[in-house]
Each structure stands twice: as C-alpha cells, then as structure tokens.
Amino acid sequence: WSSDVCSSDLFRRRLNFLTQLRRARILRPPTMLDIPTEENTMTFTKFAVAAAAALLCAGSVIAAPVEGTDYVVLEKPIPNASGTFIKVYSYDCPFCYKYDKSVVPAVKAKLDKEMKFLDYHLHTKGKYGKEGSEVLAVMWVADEAAGRDPYAADAMHKKAKFALYKAYHDKKQRWDDGADAFRATALEAVGMSKADFDAKKNDPKVQALVKAWADSTYDVAKIQGVPAYVVNGKYLIMTKSIRSVNGMVELIGELAKK
C-alpha cells in the first residue's frame, strides 16, 4: 500500500470503527484475545490494522458498471463527443433544475480536469423549447468566445439558464405574452439587448450548436427522459442507479475508460 492511502484519515477512521466493533463484540478475532494481556492487545491491534487496511484497499476497487443496470449503449452515438460528459436537459424539467443546482456542480468539481462538460438543451420539451435552445446556444458561444467556462458563476449561459429555471419553477411564469417575453427573461439576466441577440443568433457557430443539440437530444431523451447524462457520446447513465455524487463520479470514470 502506498503511504498516501494507508496513512490517510480514512484509514484511521476505519481502524477506530473496527476497534469499536471489537469492544462491542461484533467483530471478534480469535478467542484467546479475550484475555486482557499486553500481548493480546498487540495481537488485536495487528489484526485490526490488517482488517482496516484490507477494507480500505477493497473500498478503492470499483465494481465494473453493468450494462442495462448502470448504463445503456446508445444506438446512435453523439458525434464528436470523445472525452465529454454531456447533460441533456430542458428549462421546464424540475429534476434538471434540481440536479443543476447541486449534483452537476459537485460532479464537475471532481471531474473537471478529466472530462469536458457540455450542456445540450432539448428543443422538443416545453412550450418554448426551440427558443430556449436558441437563446442558450447564443450564451454558450458568447462565453466560449470570451474565454469563460459556461458553467462558471459569472457565465452568461449559466445566468440565462438559471433565470429560465427560476422563472418557470420558482415563480411559475409561463410567458403567456409569447416567445419575446420568454427570451426577455434570459436576455435581462445577462444584460443583452434584443437587437444584439438577433444579430448573434445568426452566427454560424450558434446555428451549428443549435443543430448539434437538435440532432442528438431527442434520441437520448426518449430512452428515460431528462435529465440525461452521456459519457463519451456513447454511454447513457441510468439515472435510477445514481445513489450519490461519489458513486456517479466513479461510474463516469469507469465509463470514460471504455
């Protein structure tokens, strides 16, 4: 074992836990250790150290993901997606909002150096799905042009996306006045005028991004709905198998190796 693993706080916590189990007579080494002698105390200590080390090292071994349980292979892979973690979502999806507030940022913090995180907005869901894709694509391209991470707190894409989330889910806005009212919610969040937006939406990069989202998102979303998470454009994570952030991170890491 390497010193950085077996000398860690986790190792000491597990050793303490095993000691407590021993005292409670849940975990018992050989019965001779019940005699409270110095020799037996040392023997039990060695036993506990070995057991804790075994648990620690075993805990670092991740079970291989099971196809059909942990993930499915997409029949139509997302093109040009090697090394990516793609989230398919919609502004009017409550679970997308929930995951974007807590789960996705935590996962990104752990995998940001290993994977490129991408948002793919689903144009077929919500009254203003197409308009949502267009305005969010404009913001994504603007962030990349400015050298900003679209997931950063000061990013235009993040501000616009959460403005739509909050308006729809928290304030219960439905934009009965039409698409312009919907767009205005996103534009006001980033300080962009409608004239500026109208010019930017015709940018070839924006149009290409909108098309890339439209070409892939429906085929992914129809499998189990949204949010949907795809690794390397091939492996769709079964969201029902997600139990924790760390478990999701480990699953993504294993799928990225395939």
Side-chain angles (χ1 to χ4, degrees):
W1 305 297
S2 62
S3 59
D4 61 331
V5 172
C6 292
S7 296
S8 66
D9 289 338
L10 179 58
F11 173 85
R12 288 191 291 273
R13 289 198 299 270
R14 288 185 174 178
L15 176 57
N16 290 336
F17 177 66
L18 287 168
T19 302
Q20 292 171 9
L21 291 179
R22 166 66 182 128
R23 289 171 180 168
R25 295 182 178 250
I26 297 172
L27 175 65
R28 293 176 60 88
T31 55
M32 60 168 277
L33 296 180
D34 289 330
I35 304 172
T37 66
E38 182 178 354
E39 179 182 358
N40 288 344
T41 299
M42 293 178 63
T43 302
F44 173 68
T45 299
K46 292 178 181 179
F47 167 83
V49 168
L55 278 175
L56 177 61
C57 294
S60 65
V61 178
I62 303 169
V66 178
E67 184 176 352
T69 299
D70 299 312
Y71 72 97
V72 296
V73 179
L74 295 178
E75 292 184 6
K76 182 182 176 183
I78 299 173
N80 306 313
S82 178
T84 67
F85 176 75
I86 292 173
K87 177 191 69 190
V88 176
Y89 74 106
S90 168
Y91 74 85
D92 84 340
C93 162
F95 294 105
C96 298
Y97 184 24
K98 179 180 178 181
Y99 271 67
D100 263 349
K101 285 192 291 185
S102 56
V103 177
V104 174
V107 171
K108 189 174 188 297
K110 293 176 179 289
L111 291 175
D112 202 25
K113 294 181 180 179
E114 287 78 27
M115 308 287 291
K116 183 176 182 180
F117 281 62
L118 300 173
D119 274 13
Y120 275 44
H121 187 260
L122 177 61
H123 67 292
T124 58
K125 182 173 174 58
K127 182 178 180 180
Y128 298 112
K130 291 182 179 179
E131 290 82 0
S133 290
E134 190 174 58
V135 72
L136 290 166
V138 166
M139 303 308 169
W140 188 281
V141 171
D143 282 328
E144 289 192 330
R148 284 189 301 265
D149 180 352
Y151 283 82
D154 63 341
M156 298 176 73
H157 179 266
K158 183 169 184 177
K159 289 178 179 179
K161 177 174 64 176
F162 273 89
L164 295 174
Y165 272 148
K166 291 175 181 178
Y168 189 87
H169 299 286
D170 298 339
K171 300 177 182 178
K172 309 303 180 185
Q173 290 186 19
R174 294 299 180 263
W175 302 285
D176 293 333
D177 290 338
D180 283 343
F182 171 84
R183 294 189 194 95
T185 299
L187 297 181
E188 289 171 6
V190 301
M192 182 181 291
S193 68
K194 186 177 183 300
D196 193 14
F197 168 76
D198 287 340
K200 291 181 181 297
K201 72 179 183 181
N202 295 317
D203 184 322
K205 290 183 179 179
V206 172
Q207 293 298 309
L209 188 58
V210 170
K211 184 178 185 303
W213 292 354
D215 287 347
S216 302
T217 51
Y218 177 75
D219 288 333
V220 173
K222 71 181 182 181
I223 297 172
Q224 62 171 356
V226 290
Y229 303 102
V230 182
V231 178
N232 284 349
K234 300 177 183 178
Y235 309 109
L236 172 65
I237 292 175
M238 301 298 286
T239 50
K240 64 182 180 182
S241 72
I242 300 172
R243 295 292 181 268
S244 67
V245 169
N246 286 340
M248 188 174 181
V249 169
E250 291 175 352
L251 177 57
I252 293 168
E254 288 300 299
L255 293 175
K257 299 174 185 176
K258 295 174 71 67

